[in-house]
Amino acid sequence: MSTNNEHVAERLGILNAMMRAIEARTAVLDAISAAASFGEARDGVMHLLDVTEIDAYAILEMPLMRLTVYNRARIAEEIEQLTAQT
């Protein structure tokens, strides 16, 4: 069973990966649209952003609306809150 700290660390990893995806959104969208399969898209995102498989899945499942500047601020706020918990 995972501890709260493990859950927080995993969530922080995903949020940081999402921030990287937002910052490199054009390259991320290009990598996804050029992929012939989900696995190829996942691998492309992992390589492009240097993120884990779990992080890449989270990025691929993000609605495009999450790539906005507004959402970047929300993610940064959540990162700050989670960081304060650790």
Side-chain angles (χ1 to χ4, degrees):
M1 182 157 194
S2 66
T3 66
N4 187 47
N5 286 344
E6 290 171 342
H7 175 72
V8 168
E10 183 176 308
R11 182 68 181 154
L12 280 170
I14 290 170
L15 291 169
N16 282 312
M18 288 178 167
M19 290 290 277
R20 290 160 101 176
I22 290 169
E23 292 166 2
R25 64 188 162 273
T26 301
V28 170
L29 292 173
D30 287 347
I32 292 168
S33 62
S37 67
F38 183 85
E40 194 175 302
R42 179 202 59 224
D43 292 347
V45 169
M46 287 173 64
H47 177 72
L48 176 69
L49 300 175
D50 191 29
V51 296
T52 68
E53 187 173 351
I54 291 170
D55 299 338
Y57 276 115
I59 290 165
L60 290 170
E61 292 176 356
M62 284 174 51
L64 289 175
M65 192 61 193
R66 300 256 347 227
L67 295 173
T68 63
V69 173
Y70 168 75
N71 195 61
R72 185 184 189 287
R74 290 180 58 214
I75 292 171
E77 184 178 309
E78 187 176 349
I79 289 171
E80 187 176 311
Q81 290 171 352
L82 290 173
T83 302
Q85 290 179 17
T86 59

